Amino acid sequence: GQNIDQPTEMTATEGAIVQINCTYQTSGFNGLFWYQQHAGEAPTFLSYNVLDGLEEKGRFSSFLSRSKGYSYLLLKELQMKDSASYLCAVSYGSNDYKLSFGAGTTVTVRA
Amino acid sequence: SQTIHQWPATLVQPVGSPLSLECTVEGTSNPNLYWYRQAAGRGLQLLFYSVGIGQISSEVPQNLSASRPQDRQFILSSKKLLLSDSGFYLCAWSSDYEQYFGPGTRLTVT
């Protein structure tokens, strides 16, 4: 089975940096996704890590350590529109690419 | 370009009534298709996935069922809804590792 843990809530100030950690235990690991989900909407893709290391994409970066079962999403220069839930998801299985999601971290950005 | 549609967008149904949610994908062939449910304040839970027409795999036991009558059509059904079936239902498709989500259906069972 899959077990994915991430903090429930985080609060940060506009312009600051926030790091959302995710730990996982899974079999048949393919890679790790981060999705952003605004209230009442579908998740949208942020990043996908397969190999160890840091992937940078604009204000968002994602890190993966496969040996430690650990990932983080780094949000820089926070904006009010970044207030959302951030979902850590592990891809597992062959050919069918199933996703197992964490419960999500609600980030609130304050002025 | 590929698009994914779900309907209805919202639904209120009494306990014990049947359910049919539909998902269609355009602009791609032979996609993998997925049904997820998100209960209030919780993460997405994979319910069913399909790698081809008529091929359905269930991840969790429940009173829901899924069917794939056509390559790009995925249907989620129930004969009798329970209160615990309330939630946000999301359909997704993939051709490789990345999944693309539809707009979702918000189901309230009363």
Side-chain angles (χ1 to χ4, degrees), chain A residues 33-93:
Chain A
F33 286 89
W34 284 96
Y35 282 85
Q36 181 190 60
Q37 186 179 26
H38 285 99
E41 298 180 8
T44 55
F45 170 83
L46 289 178
S47 67
Y48 179 55
N49 292 67
V50 176
L51 302 176
D52 287 358
L54 186 67
E55 295 275 347
E56 297 187 81
K57 193 181 291 186
R59 294 188 298 113
F60 294 177
S61 303
S62 57
F63 172 84
L64 176 67
S65 170
R66 293 175 70 123
S67 62
K68 295 182 180 178
Y70 169 69
S71 173
Y72 68 73
L73 178 69
L74 196 67
L75 285 62
K76 294 179 268 190
E77 300 170 19
L78 280 172
Q79 302 175 9
M80 299 300 287
K81 67 178 181 179
D82 296 330
S83 292
S85 182
Y86 291 84
L87 311 178
C88 174
V90 168
S91 173
Y92 65 101

Side-chain angles (χ1 to χ4, degrees), chain A residues 2 33 35 37 39-45 48 85 87 91-92 95-104, chain B residues 32 34 36 38 41-44 46 49 51 59 88 90 94-104 106:
Chain A
Q2 288 70 37
F33 286 89
Y35 282 85
Q37 186 179 26
E41 298 180 8
T44 55
F45 170 83
Y48 179 55
S85 182
L87 311 178
S91 173
Y92 65 101
N95 300 322
D96 42 35
Y97 297 104
K98 295 173 286 191
L99 288 181
S100 181
F101 282 83
Chain B
N32 290 342
Y34 310 84
Y36 291 89
Q38 188 174 36
R42 301 184 66 178
L44 276 73
L46 178 62
Y49 66 95
V51 299
E59 282 293 285
F88 191 38
L90 288 155
S94 74
S95 58
D96 50 32
Y97 60 87
E98 185 174 346
Q99 291 189 18
Y100 302 88
F101 288 87
R106 188 161 301 282

Side-chain angles (χ1 to χ4, degrees), chain A residues 8 11 28 49 59 67 106 108 111:
Chain A
T8 305
T11 301
N49 292 67
R59 294 188 298 113
S67 62
T106 300
T108 302

